[in-house]
Every structure is written in structure tokens, then in C-alpha cells.
Amino acid sequence: MDQDLLLSLLQSKDTKQAYGTLLELERISGASDELYPYTAHFADMVNSDRYAVRVRGFRLFCKQARWDTEHVLDRHMADALVILNDEKPTAVRQALAALGDVVPYKMELWDMIRERARDIDCSRYPDTMQGLIAGDIQTLLDLME
């Protein structure tokens, strides 16, 4: 399948298809820099009105960290980290996990990531999610020690 088709399927309203596409694009991103030219596009997806599109975009944005020779993540990270204040706790949890793909390759972003992670107000989420998000924050912070 060509990349443009995969990128359009990523925003499909068919969640099963879109999720399958996300997994395929994450696999590609883990193996090569083939999707690196789309890094800014992935960052822009974080501004979508649709929760699932925001998460998919952020996850793929983070997957490009190992290939980021042109510092695209550096230029877009501050705006993309808005997802850490998402109304959906599952978006926040997935974003925190995705940042684990950035940490090994982008030490220069650690201060920003630490600050934004520590600024998450867990109390705004349901009781059942607060401890999980707090644990995800700690896991991410531990990766940066």
C-alpha cells in the first residue's frame, strides 16, 4: 500500500481500519525513516477535533524521533505536547507512553517533556484513571534519569 493511502486511512472513521493502519505505520517507523518526511504532518494531527486522530498523530510523531536529523521534533514538540492536557485520559496515557520513543533519542527535549508531564493535573480525570496517569508520568520521568 502506498504511503499517501495509508496516511488517509489513518484518519478514517472506521476505527478498526484506522487502528490497523496506525500499527502498520508504527511498524514502518520502527524499521526505517520512510515516514520521517511526514513528521510535521503527524504533529499537526494533534490539533484534530477527533480524539483518535490526535492520538494516532502523536504516536507517529514520537516514532520519528530516532530518524530526526533535521530537528523537526524539536520545532514541533512544544505544540504537540498540548495532548498531555487532553480531555480524554486515554489520550494522555497513550501520549505519555509514546514519549518513551522520544526519550532515548532526544535528550535536548527532556526538560520540556519533564515540565509538561509534571504539569498534568490528574485530578481532572475520573478517580479510576488518576493513579494510572500518575504511574505513567512516573514511568516516563524514570526513563529520563
Side-chain angles (χ1 to χ4, degrees):
M1 222 179 255
D2 80 31
Q3 291 172 350
D4 291 330
L5 177 57
L6 284 173
L7 290 171
S8 68
L9 291 175
L10 193 59
Q11 297 191 42
S12 171
K13 291 187 186 232
D14 177 342
T15 55
K16 184 176 180 180
Q17 181 181 46
Y19 184 69
T21 301
L22 170 65
L23 295 179
E24 176 61 13
L25 292 174
E26 285 182 326
R27 186 196 62 72
I28 291 168
S29 296
S32 77
D33 66 353
E34 190 176 338
L35 296 173
Y36 179 66
Y38 298 96
T39 304
H41 172 74
F42 297 143
D44 289 341
M45 288 173 65
V46 174
N47 298 313
S48 174
D49 293 337
R50 294 177 43 221
Y51 143 79
V53 173
R54 293 191 300 269
V55 171
R56 292 177 203 136
F58 191 77
R59 284 174 56 169
L60 287 166
F61 173 71
C62 291
K63 280 286 187 190
Q64 306 315 307
R66 75 184 317 172
W67 315 113
D68 191 21
T69 57
E70 297 173 21
H71 307 285
V72 177
L73 267 83
D74 304 49
R75 290 192 301 277
H76 292 275
M77 185 60 78
D79 292 332
L81 285 174
V82 71
I83 199 165
L84 295 181
N85 295 315
D86 202 278
E87 64 196 39
K88 303 279 190 180
T90 53
V92 175
R93 293 200 69 210
Q94 288 188 61
L96 288 165
L99 285 166
D101 291 326
V102 175
V103 169
Y105 304 103
K106 304 297 281 182
M107 288 181 69
E108 63 273 20
L109 296 176
W110 284 15
D111 288 341
M112 181 191 320
I113 292 168
R114 261 193 215 102
E115 180 181 338
R116 295 286 186 89
R118 287 179 177 143
D119 286 346
I120 295 171
D121 178 10
C122 295
S123 69
R124 66 185 286 221
Y125 301 110
D127 292 346
T128 56
M129 296 300 286
Q130 290 177 19
L132 296 171
I133 292 171
D136 295 336
I137 292 167
Q138 191 56 57
T139 298
L140 178 62
L141 295 175
D142 290 347
L143 289 174
M144 292 183 277
E145 287 191 10

